[in-house]
PDB file of all heavy atoms in Angstrom:
ATOM      1  N   ALA A   1     -43.180 136.816 -92.009  1.00 96.00           N
ATOM      2  CA  ALA A   1     -42.279 136.793 -90.874  1.00 96.00           C
ATOM      3  C   ALA A   1     -40.844 136.997 -91.344  1.00 96.00           C
ATOM      4  O   ALA A   1     -40.398 136.347 -92.299  1.00 96.00           O
ATOM      5  CB  ALA A   1     -42.411 135.469 -90.140  1.00 96.00           C
ATOM      6  N   ALA A   2     -40.133 137.873 -90.652  1.00 95.00           N
ATOM      7  CA  ALA A   2     -38.731 138.138 -90.979  1.00 95.00           C
ATOM      8  C   ALA A   2     -37.820 137.395 -90.012  1.00 95.00           C
ATOM      9  O   ALA A   2     -38.166 137.182 -88.846  1.00 95.00           O
ATOM     10  CB  ALA A   2     -38.451 139.638 -90.912  1.00 95.00           C
ATOM     11  N   SER A   3     -36.617 137.057 -90.504  1.00 93.00           N
ATOM     12  CA  SER A   3     -35.688 136.276 -89.690  1.00 93.00           C
ATOM     13  C   SER A   3     -34.886 137.146 -88.728  1.00 93.00           C
ATOM     14  O   SER A   3     -34.270 136.624 -87.799  1.00 93.00           O
ATOM     15  CB  SER A   3     -34.723 135.513 -90.605  1.00 93.00           C
ATOM     16  OG  SER A   3     -34.003 136.430 -91.422  1.00 93.00           O
ATOM     17  N   VAL A   4     -34.907 138.462 -88.975  1.00 89.00           N
ATOM     18  CA  VAL A   4     -34.178 139.386 -88.108  1.00 89.00           C
ATOM     19  C   VAL A   4     -35.071 140.590 -87.805  1.00 89.00           C
ATOM     20  O   VAL A   4     -36.139 140.763 -88.385  1.00 89.00           O
ATOM     21  CB  VAL A   4     -32.864 139.865 -88.760  1.00 89.00           C
ATOM     22  CG1 VAL A   4     -31.942 138.699 -89.034  1.00 89.00           C
ATOM     23  CG2 VAL A   4     -33.136 140.661 -90.031  1.00 89.00           C
ATOM     24  N   ARG A   5     -34.597 141.415 -86.891  1.00 90.00           N
ATOM     25  CA  ARG A   5     -35.342 142.621 -86.538  1.00 90.00           C
ATOM     26  C   ARG A   5     -35.394 143.566 -87.735  1.00 90.00           C
ATOM     27  O   ARG A   5     -34.363 143.886 -88.318  1.00 90.00           O
ATOM     28  CB  ARG A   5     -34.665 143.286 -85.346  1.00 90.00           C
ATOM     29  CG  ARG A   5     -35.295 144.584 -84.879  1.00 90.00           C
ATOM     30  CD  ARG A   5     -34.531 145.127 -83.680  1.00 90.00           C
ATOM     31  NE  ARG A   5     -34.966 146.444 -83.289  1.00 90.00           N
ATOM     32  CZ  ARG A   5     -35.983 146.704 -82.485  1.00 90.00           C
ATOM     33  NH1 ARG A   5     -36.679 145.703 -81.981  1.00 90.00           N
ATOM     34  NH2 ARG A   5     -36.310 147.941 -82.175  1.00 90.00           N
ATOM     35  N   THR A   6     -36.606 143.991 -88.079  1.00 85.00           N
ATOM     36  CA  THR A   6     -36.759 144.895 -89.223  1.00 85.00           C
ATOM     37  C   THR A   6     -37.130 146.316 -88.806  1.00 85.00           C
ATOM     38  O   THR A   6     -37.079 147.229 -89.630  1.00 85.00           O
ATOM     39  CB  THR A   6     -37.845 144.370 -90.181  1.00 85.00           C
ATOM     40  OG1 THR A   6     -39.068 144.173 -89.445  1.00 85.00           O
ATOM     41  CG2 THR A   6     -37.415 143.055 -90.824  1.00 85.00           C
ATOM     42  N   PHE A   7     -37.527 146.460 -87.562  1.00 84.00           N
ATOM     43  CA  PHE A   7     -37.892 147.791 -87.055  1.00 84.00           C
ATOM     44  C   PHE A   7     -36.665 148.464 -86.492  1.00 84.00           C
ATOM     45  O   PHE A   7     -35.922 147.847 -85.727  1.00 84.00           O
ATOM     46  CB  PHE A   7     -38.967 147.636 -85.979  1.00 84.00           C
ATOM     47  CG  PHE A   7     -39.362 148.921 -85.312  1.00 84.00           C
ATOM     48  CD1 PHE A   7     -40.343 149.721 -85.872  1.00 84.00           C
ATOM     49  CD2 PHE A   7     -38.762 149.323 -84.120  1.00 84.00           C
ATOM     50  CE1 PHE A   7     -40.713 150.897 -85.257  1.00 84.00           C
ATOM     51  CE2 PHE A   7     -39.116 150.499 -83.504  1.00 84.00           C
ATOM     52  CZ  PHE A   7     -40.106 151.288 -84.071  1.00 84.00           C
ATOM     53  N   PRO A   8     -36.419 149.731 -86.800  1.00 88.00           N
ATOM     54  CA  PRO A   8     -37.152 150.614 -87.714  1.00 88.00           C
ATOM     55  C   PRO A   8     -36.455 150.791 -89.068  1.00 88.00           C
ATOM     56  O   PRO A   8     -36.741 151.727 -89.784  1.00 88.00           O
ATOM     57  CB  PRO A   8     -37.124 151.935 -86.944  1.00 88.00           C
ATOM     58  CG  PRO A   8     -35.753 151.935 -86.323  1.00 88.00           C
ATOM     59  CD  PRO A   8     -35.428 150.492 -86.008  1.00 88.00           C
ATOM     60  N   THR A   9     -35.587 149.834 -89.410  1.00 89.00           N
ATOM     61  CA  THR A   9     -34.690 150.020 -90.551  1.00 89.00           C
ATOM     62  C   THR A   9     -35.346 149.798 -91.912  1.00 89.00           C
ATOM     63  O   THR A   9     -35.071 150.512 -92.864  1.00 89.00           O
ATOM     64  CB  THR A   9     -33.493 149.072 -90.413  1.00 89.00           C
ATOM     65  OG1 THR A   9     -32.922 149.223 -89.117  1.00 89.00           O
ATOM     66  CG2 THR A   9     -32.456 149.332 -91.482  1.00 89.00           C
ATOM     67  N   TYR A  10     -36.168 148.774 -91.996  1.00 94.00           N
ATOM     68  CA  TYR A  10     -36.666 148.355 -93.308  1.00 94.00           C
ATOM     69  C   TYR A  10     -38.060 148.908 -93.606  1.00 94.00           C
ATOM     70  O   TYR A  10     -38.963 148.846 -92.760  1.00 94.00           O
ATOM     71  CB  TYR A  10     -36.754 146.829 -93.376  1.00 94.00           C
ATOM     72  CG  TYR A  10     -35.435 146.119 -93.472  1.00 94.00           C
ATOM     73  CD1 TYR A  10     -34.723 145.797 -92.326  1.00 94.00           C
ATOM     74  CD2 TYR A  10     -34.905 145.765 -94.714  1.00 94.00           C
ATOM     75  CE1 TYR A  10     -33.511 145.133 -92.411  1.00 94.00           C
ATOM     76  CE2 TYR A  10     -33.695 145.095 -94.799  1.00 94.00           C
ATOM     77  CZ  TYR A  10     -33.007 144.787 -93.652  1.00 94.00           C
ATOM     78  OH  TYR A  10     -31.807 144.129 -93.747  1.00 94.00           O
ATOM     79  N   VAL A  11     -38.225 149.383 -94.828  1.00 96.00           N
ATOM     80  CA  VAL A  11     -39.565 149.582 -95.365  1.00 96.00           C
ATOM     81  C   VAL A  11     -40.073 148.215 -95.796  1.00 96.00           C
ATOM     82  O   VAL A  11     -39.351 147.456 -96.457  1.00 96.00           O
ATOM     83  CB  VAL A  11     -39.552 150.547 -96.568  1.00 96.00           C
ATOM     84  CG1 VAL A  11     -40.927 150.619 -97.222  1.00 96.00           C
ATOM     85  CG2 VAL A  11     -39.081 151.932 -96.140  1.00 96.00           C
ATOM     86  N   LEU A  12     -41.273 147.879 -95.423  1.00 96.00           N
ATOM     87  CA  LEU A  12     -41.844 146.572 -95.745  1.00 96.00           C
ATOM     88  C   LEU A  12     -42.990 146.745 -96.731  1.00 96.00           C
ATOM     89  O   LEU A  12     -43.738 147.715 -96.656  1.00 96.00           O
ATOM     90  CB  LEU A  12     -42.331 145.890 -94.472  1.00 96.00           C
ATOM     91  CG  LEU A  12     -41.265 145.703 -93.396  1.00 96.00           C
ATOM     92  CD1 LEU A  12     -41.896 145.126 -92.128  1.00 96.00           C
ATOM     93  CD2 LEU A  12     -40.147 144.813 -93.891  1.00 96.00           C
ATOM     94  N   GLY A  13     -43.103 145.781 -97.623  1.00 97.00           N
ATOM     95  CA  GLY A  13     -44.133 145.931 -98.644  1.00 97.00           C
ATOM     96  C   GLY A  13     -44.738 144.624 -99.088  1.00 97.00           C
ATOM     97  O   GLY A  13     -44.300 143.535 -98.674  1.00 97.00           O
ATOM     98  N   TRP A  14     -45.765 144.752 -99.924  1.00 98.00           N
ATOM     99  CA  TRP A  14     -46.411 143.614-100.576  1.00 98.00           C
ATOM    100  C   TRP A  14     -46.539 143.937-102.071  1.00 98.00           C
ATOM    101  O   TRP A  14     -46.908 145.055-102.451  1.00 98.00           O
ATOM    102  CB  TRP A  14     -47.798 143.368 -99.998  1.00 98.00           C
ATOM    103  CG  TRP A  14     -47.793 142.829 -98.613  1.00 98.00           C
ATOM    104  CD1 TRP A  14     -47.883 143.526 -97.449  1.00 98.00           C
ATOM    105  CD2 TRP A  14     -47.673 141.444 -98.235  1.00 98.00           C
ATOM    106  NE1 TRP A  14     -47.822 142.682 -96.369  1.00 98.00           N
ATOM    107  CE2 TRP A  14     -47.697 141.396 -96.819  1.00 98.00           C
ATOM    108  CE3 TRP A  14     -47.559 140.248 -98.947  1.00 98.00           C
ATOM    109  CZ2 TRP A  14     -47.608 140.189 -96.113  1.00 98.00           C
ATOM    110  CZ3 TRP A  14     -47.467 139.063 -98.243  1.00 98.00           C
ATOM    111  CH2 TRP A  14     -47.494 139.042 -96.846  1.00 98.00           C
ATOM    112  N   PHE A  15     -46.239 142.941-102.862  1.00 98.00           N
ATOM    113  CA  PHE A  15     -46.425 143.008-104.305  1.00 98.00           C
ATOM    114  C   PHE A  15     -47.239 141.793-104.723  1.00 98.00           C
ATOM    115  O   PHE A  15     -47.402 140.844-103.949  1.00 98.00           O
ATOM    116  CB  PHE A  15     -45.075 142.980-105.032  1.00 98.00           C
ATOM    117  CG  PHE A  15     -44.296 144.257-104.926  1.00 98.00           C
ATOM    118  CD1 PHE A  15     -43.660 144.608-103.746  1.00 98.00           C
ATOM    119  CD2 PHE A  15     -44.197 145.119-106.008  1.00 98.00           C
ATOM    120  CE1 PHE A  15     -42.941 145.796-103.640  1.00 98.00           C
ATOM    121  CE2 PHE A  15     -43.482 146.300-105.922  1.00 98.00           C
ATOM    122  CZ  PHE A  15     -42.850 146.628-104.735  1.00 98.00           C
ATOM    123  N   ARG A  16     -47.739 141.825-105.951  1.00 98.00           N
ATOM    124  CA  ARG A  16     -48.437 140.647-106.471  1.00 98.00           C
ATOM    125  C   ARG A  16     -48.146 140.496-107.949  1.00 98.00           C
ATOM    126  O   ARG A  16     -47.814 141.454-108.636  1.00 98.00           O
ATOM    127  CB  ARG A  16     -49.943 140.747-106.224  1.00 98.00           C
ATOM    128  CG  ARG A  16     -50.646 141.874-106.981  1.00 98.00           C
ATOM    129  CD  ARG A  16     -52.100 141.973-106.541  1.00 98.00           C
ATOM    130  NE  ARG A  16     -52.830 143.014-107.275  1.00 98.00           N
ATOM    131  CZ  ARG A  16     -54.072 143.385-106.990  1.00 98.00           C
ATOM    132  NH1 ARG A  16     -54.748 142.805-106.004  1.00 98.00           N
ATOM    133  NH2 ARG A  16     -54.647 144.337-107.709  1.00 98.00           N
ATOM    134  N   GLN A  17     -48.281 139.261-108.411  1.00 98.00           N
ATOM    135  CA  GLN A  17     -48.024 138.967-109.817  1.00 98.00           C
ATOM    136  C   GLN A  17     -49.043 137.957-110.318  1.00 98.00           C
ATOM    137  O   GLN A  17     -49.101 136.823-109.818  1.00 98.00           O
ATOM    138  CB  GLN A  17     -46.608 138.444-110.007  1.00 98.00           C
ATOM    139  CG  GLN A  17     -46.193 138.324-111.459  1.00 98.00           C
ATOM    140  CD  GLN A  17     -44.701 138.138-111.608  1.00 98.00           C
ATOM    141  OE1 GLN A  17     -43.984 137.785-110.670  1.00 98.00           O
ATOM    142  NE2 GLN A  17     -44.188 138.398-112.805  1.00 98.00           N
ATOM    143  N   ALA A  18     -49.826 138.386-111.281  1.00 97.00           N
ATOM    144  CA  ALA A  18     -50.806 137.506-111.911  1.00 97.00           C
ATOM    145  C   ALA A  18     -50.161 136.859-113.133  1.00 97.00           C
ATOM    146  O   ALA A  18     -49.185 137.389-113.683  1.00 97.00           O
ATOM    147  CB  ALA A  18     -52.034 138.310-112.316  1.00 97.00           C
ATOM    148  N   PRO A  19     -50.686 135.722-113.585  1.00 93.00           N
ATOM    149  CA  PRO A  19     -50.105 135.038-114.749  1.00 93.00           C
ATOM    150  C   PRO A  19     -50.024 135.968-115.968  1.00 93.00           C
ATOM    151  O   PRO A  19     -50.996 136.631-116.314  1.00 93.00           O
ATOM    152  CB  PRO A  19     -51.073 133.884-114.995  1.00 93.00           C
ATOM    153  CG  PRO A  19     -51.681 133.621-113.660  1.00 93.00           C
ATOM    154  CD  PRO A  19     -51.796 134.955-112.992  1.00 93.00           C
ATOM    155  N   GLY A  20     -48.859 136.017-116.579  1.00 95.00           N
ATOM    156  CA  GLY A  20     -48.674 136.816-117.775  1.00 95.00           C
ATOM    157  C   GLY A  20     -48.526 138.301-117.535  1.00 95.00           C
ATOM    158  O   GLY A  20     -48.461 139.081-118.495  1.00 95.00           O
ATOM    159  N   LYS A  21     -48.479 138.709-116.272  1.00 97.00           N
ATOM    160  CA  LYS A  21     -48.370 140.136-115.959  1.00 97.00           C
ATOM    161  C   LYS A  21     -47.109 140.400-115.154  1.00 97.00           C
ATOM    162  O   LYS A  21     -46.524 139.495-114.567  1.00 97.00           O
ATOM    163  CB  LYS A  21     -49.599 140.602-115.180  1.00 97.00           C
ATOM    164  CG  LYS A  21     -50.890 140.549-115.976  1.00 97.00           C
ATOM    165  CD  LYS A  21     -52.026 141.207-115.225  1.00 97.00           C
ATOM    166  CE  LYS A  21     -53.289 141.246-116.062  1.00 97.00           C
ATOM    167  NZ  LYS A  21     -54.400 141.931-115.355  1.00 97.00           N
ATOM    168  N   GLU A  22     -46.721 141.668-115.119  1.00 97.00           N
ATOM    169  CA  GLU A  22     -45.559 142.053-114.328  1.00 97.00           C
ATOM    170  C   GLU A  22     -45.927 142.128-112.843  1.00 97.00           C
ATOM    171  O   GLU A  22     -47.094 142.289-112.491  1.00 97.00           O
ATOM    172  CB  GLU A  22     -45.044 143.426-114.793  1.00 97.00           C
ATOM    173  CG  GLU A  22     -44.473 143.424-116.197  1.00 97.00           C
ATOM    174  CD  GLU A  22     -43.830 144.735-116.570  1.00 97.00           C
ATOM    175  OE1 GLU A  22     -43.999 145.712-115.817  1.00 97.00           O
ATOM    176  OE2 GLU A  22     -43.170 144.792-117.619  1.00 97.00           O
ATOM    177  N   ARG A  23     -44.900 142.017-112.030  1.00 97.00           N
ATOM    178  CA  ARG A  23     -45.105 142.155-110.595  1.00 97.00           C
ATOM    179  C   ARG A  23     -45.488 143.599-110.299  1.00 97.00           C
ATOM    180  O   ARG A  23     -44.824 144.538-110.763  1.00 97.00           O
ATOM    181  CB  ARG A  23     -43.834 141.768-109.838  1.00 97.00           C
ATOM    182  CG  ARG A  23     -44.026 141.603-108.353  1.00 97.00           C
ATOM    183  CD  ARG A  23     -42.813 140.940-107.715  1.00 97.00           C
ATOM    184  NE  ARG A  23     -42.601 139.590-108.239  1.00 97.00           N
ATOM    185  CZ  ARG A  23     -41.738 138.722-107.711  1.00 97.00           C
ATOM    186  NH1 ARG A  23     -41.007 139.080-106.656  1.00 97.00           N
ATOM    187  NH2 ARG A  23     -41.579 137.538-108.244  1.00 97.00           N
ATOM    188  N   GLU A  24     -46.553 143.768-109.508  1.00 97.00           N
ATOM    189  CA  GLU A  24     -47.031 145.110-109.244  1.00 97.00           C
ATOM    190  C   GLU A  24     -47.089 145.410-107.754  1.00 97.00           C
ATOM    191  O   GLU A  24     -47.342 144.528-106.924  1.00 97.00           O
ATOM    192  CB  GLU A  24     -48.421 145.328-109.866  1.00 97.00           C
ATOM    193  CG  GLU A  24     -49.526 144.492-109.281  1.00 97.00           C
ATOM    194  CD  GLU A  24     -50.901 144.877-109.811  1.00 97.00           C
ATOM    195  OE1 GLU A  24     -51.007 145.798-110.648  1.00 97.00           O
ATOM    196  OE2 GLU A  24     -51.890 144.258-109.376  1.00 97.00           O
ATOM    197  N   PHE A  25     -46.896 146.683-107.446  1.00 97.00           N
ATOM    198  CA  PHE A  25     -46.949 147.156-106.074  1.00 97.00           C
ATOM    199  C   PHE A  25     -48.360 147.063-105.534  1.00 97.00           C
ATOM    200  O   PHE A  25     -49.333 147.375-106.226  1.00 97.00           O
ATOM    201  CB  PHE A  25     -46.470 148.614-106.039  1.00 97.00           C
ATOM    202  CG  PHE A  25     -46.661 149.305-104.733  1.00 97.00           C
ATOM    203  CD1 PHE A  25     -45.773 149.097-103.693  1.00 97.00           C
ATOM    204  CD2 PHE A  25     -47.718 150.176-104.543  1.00 97.00           C
ATOM    205  CE1 PHE A  25     -45.941 149.745-102.480  1.00 97.00           C
ATOM    206  CE2 PHE A  25     -47.902 150.828-103.346  1.00 97.00           C
ATOM    207  CZ  PHE A  25     -47.010 150.620-102.306  1.00 97.00           C
ATOM    208  N   VAL A  26     -48.466 146.643-104.275  1.00 98.00           N
ATOM    209  CA  VAL A  26     -49.764 146.584-103.603  1.00 98.00           C
ATOM    210  C   VAL A  26     -49.810 147.564-102.429  1.00 98.00           C
ATOM    211  O   VAL A  26     -50.701 148.398-102.340  1.00 98.00           O
ATOM    212  CB  VAL A  26     -50.073 145.162-103.100  1.00 98.00           C
ATOM    213  CG1 VAL A  26     -51.371 145.143-102.287  1.00 98.00           C
ATOM    214  CG2 VAL A  26     -50.157 144.187-104.268  1.00 98.00           C
ATOM    215  N   ALA A  27     -48.822 147.454-101.525  1.00 98.00           N
ATOM    216  CA  ALA A  27     -48.837 148.296-100.329  1.00 98.00           C
ATOM    217  C   ALA A  27     -47.454 148.329 -99.714  1.00 98.00           C
ATOM    218  O   ALA A  27     -46.640 147.427 -99.929  1.00 98.00           O
ATOM    219  CB  ALA A  27     -49.852 147.772 -99.310  1.00 98.00           C
ATOM    220  N   ALA A  28     -47.198 149.379 -98.918  1.00 97.00           N
ATOM    221  CA  ALA A  28     -45.939 149.487 -98.193  1.00 97.00           C
ATOM    222  C   ALA A  28     -46.189 150.182 -96.863  1.00 97.00           C
ATOM    223  O   ALA A  28     -47.148 150.948 -96.712  1.00 97.00           O
ATOM    224  CB  ALA A  28     -44.906 150.265 -99.003  1.00 97.00           C
ATOM    225  N   ILE A  29     -45.309 149.898 -95.909  1.00 97.00           N
ATOM    226  CA  ILE A  29     -45.376 150.543 -94.601  1.00 97.00           C
ATOM    227  C   ILE A  29     -43.968 150.980 -94.219  1.00 97.00           C
ATOM    228  O   ILE A  29     -42.987 150.279 -94.469  1.00 97.00           O
ATOM    229  CB  ILE A  29     -46.002 149.600 -93.546  1.00 97.00           C
ATOM    230  CG1 ILE A  29     -46.236 150.327 -92.221  1.00 97.00           C
ATOM    231  CG2 ILE A  29     -45.168 148.337 -93.346  1.00 97.00           C
ATOM    232  CD1 ILE A  29     -47.163 149.568 -91.270  1.00 97.00           C
ATOM    233  N   SER A  30     -43.865 152.155 -93.625  1.00 95.00           N
ATOM    234  CA  SER A  30     -42.560 152.717 -93.317  1.00 95.00           C
ATOM    235  C   SER A  30     -41.855 151.959 -92.194  1.00 95.00           C
ATOM    236  O   SER A  30     -42.466 151.168 -91.471  1.00 95.00           O
ATOM    237  CB  SER A  30     -42.726 154.190 -92.912  1.00 95.00           C
ATOM    238  OG  SER A  30     -43.480 154.282 -91.715  1.00 95.00           O
ATOM    239  N   GLY A  31     -40.567 152.233 -92.042  1.00 92.00           N
ATOM    240  CA  GLY A  31     -39.779 151.580 -91.015  1.00 92.00           C
ATOM    241  C   GLY A  31     -40.333 151.790 -89.620  1.00 92.00           C
ATOM    242  O   GLY A  31     -40.332 150.872 -88.790  1.00 92.00           O
ATOM    243  N   SER A  32     -40.805 152.981 -89.362  1.00 91.00           N
ATOM    244  CA  SER A  32     -41.362 153.288 -88.052  1.00 91.00           C
ATOM    245  C   SER A  32     -42.818 152.856 -87.921  1.00 91.00           C
ATOM    246  O   SER A  32     -43.360 152.878 -86.818  1.00 91.00           O
ATOM    247  CB  SER A  32     -41.257 154.789 -87.781  1.00 91.00           C
ATOM    248  OG  SER A  32     -41.941 155.500 -88.793  1.00 91.00           O
ATOM    249  N   GLY A  33     -43.436 152.501 -89.038  1.00 92.00           N
ATOM    250  CA  GLY A  33     -44.825 152.051 -89.019  1.00 92.00           C
ATOM    251  C   GLY A  33     -45.856 153.160 -89.029  1.00 92.00           C
ATOM    252  O   GLY A  33     -47.054 152.884 -88.935  1.00 92.00           O
ATOM    253  N   ASP A  34     -45.420 154.406 -89.178  1.00 94.00           N
ATOM    254  CA  ASP A  34     -46.369 155.511 -89.088  1.00 94.00           C
ATOM    255  C   ASP A  34     -46.881 155.978 -90.444  1.00 94.00           C
ATOM    256  O   ASP A  34     -47.759 156.845 -90.506  1.00 94.00           O
ATOM    257  CB  ASP A  34     -45.744 156.697 -88.339  1.00 94.00           C
ATOM    258  CG  ASP A  34     -44.529 157.256 -89.046  1.00 94.00           C
ATOM    259  OD1 ASP A  34     -43.939 156.530 -89.886  1.00 94.00           O
ATOM    260  OD2 ASP A  34     -44.148 158.401 -88.762  1.00 94.00           O
ATOM    261  N   LYS A  35     -46.349 155.412 -91.525  1.00 96.00           N
ATOM    262  CA  LYS A  35     -46.796 155.801 -92.867  1.00 96.00           C
ATOM    263  C   LYS A  35     -47.107 154.560 -93.675  1.00 96.00           C
ATOM    264  O   LYS A  35     -46.411 153.542 -93.588  1.00 96.00           O
ATOM    265  CB  LYS A  35     -45.712 156.620 -93.575  1.00 96.00           C
ATOM    266  CG  LYS A  35     -45.437 157.966 -92.939  1.00 96.00           C
ATOM    267  CD  LYS A  35     -44.451 158.764 -93.731  1.00 96.00           C
ATOM    268  CE  LYS A  35     -43.029 158.266 -93.568  1.00 96.00           C
ATOM    269  NZ  LYS A  35     -42.524 158.517 -92.209  1.00 96.00           N
ATOM    270  N   THR A  36     -48.180 154.636 -94.460  1.00 97.00           N
ATOM    271  CA  THR A  36     -48.563 153.545 -95.347  1.00 97.00           C
ATOM    272  C   THR A  36     -48.872 154.102 -96.730  1.00 97.00           C
ATOM    273  O   THR A  36     -49.196 155.285 -96.884  1.00 97.00           O
ATOM    274  CB  THR A  36     -49.786 152.779 -94.831  1.00 97.00           C
ATOM    275  OG1 THR A  36     -50.880 153.697 -94.653  1.00 97.00           O
ATOM    276  CG2 THR A  36     -49.494 152.081 -93.507  1.00 97.00           C
ATOM    277  N   ALA A  37     -48.758 153.232 -97.721  1.00 97.00           N
ATOM    278  CA  ALA A  37     -49.070 153.601 -99.096  1.00 97.00           C
ATOM    279  C   ALA A  37     -49.729 152.410 -99.773  1.00 97.00           C
ATOM    280  O   ALA A  37     -49.396 151.255 -99.460  1.00 97.00           O
ATOM    281  CB  ALA A  37     -47.813 154.005 -99.848  1.00 97.00           C
ATOM    282  N   TYR A  38     -50.661 152.698-100.686  1.00 97.00           N
ATOM    283  CA  TYR A  38     -51.410 151.637-101.350  1.00 97.00           C
ATOM    284  C   TYR A  38     -51.549 151.913-102.843  1.00 97.00           C
ATOM    285  O   TYR A  38     -51.603 153.067-103.279  1.00 97.00           O
ATOM    286  CB  TYR A  38     -52.818 151.536-100.756  1.00 97.00           C
ATOM    287  CG  TYR A  38     -52.844 151.165 -99.306  1.00 97.00           C
ATOM    288  CD1 TYR A  38     -52.877 152.144 -98.309  1.00 97.00           C
ATOM    289  CD2 TYR A  38     -52.825 149.824 -98.917  1.00 97.00           C
ATOM    290  CE1 TYR A  38     -52.885 151.795 -96.968  1.00 97.00           C
ATOM    291  CE2 TYR A  38     -52.835 149.472 -97.574  1.00 97.00           C
ATOM    292  CZ  TYR A  38     -52.864 150.464 -96.608  1.00 97.00           C
ATOM    293  OH  TYR A  38     -52.876 150.112 -95.281  1.00 97.00           O
ATOM    294  N   ALA A  39     -51.632 150.834-103.593  1.00 97.00           N
ATOM    295  CA  ALA A  39     -52.013 150.968-104.990  1.00 97.00           C
ATOM    296  C   ALA A  39     -53.473 151.394-105.052  1.00 97.00           C
ATOM    297  O   ALA A  39     -54.281 151.023-104.192  1.00 97.00           O
ATOM    298  CB  ALA A  39     -51.831 149.633-105.714  1.00 97.00           C
TER     299      ALA A  39
END
């Protein structure tokens, strides 16, 4: 949940970090919501 309006300005994403590893990209969605990308 975001504290302010994020549409359509922000690209939103998810990352993850396992113990001893670097933070890695998982997924992203465009500001308009019409494009997605995945690891």
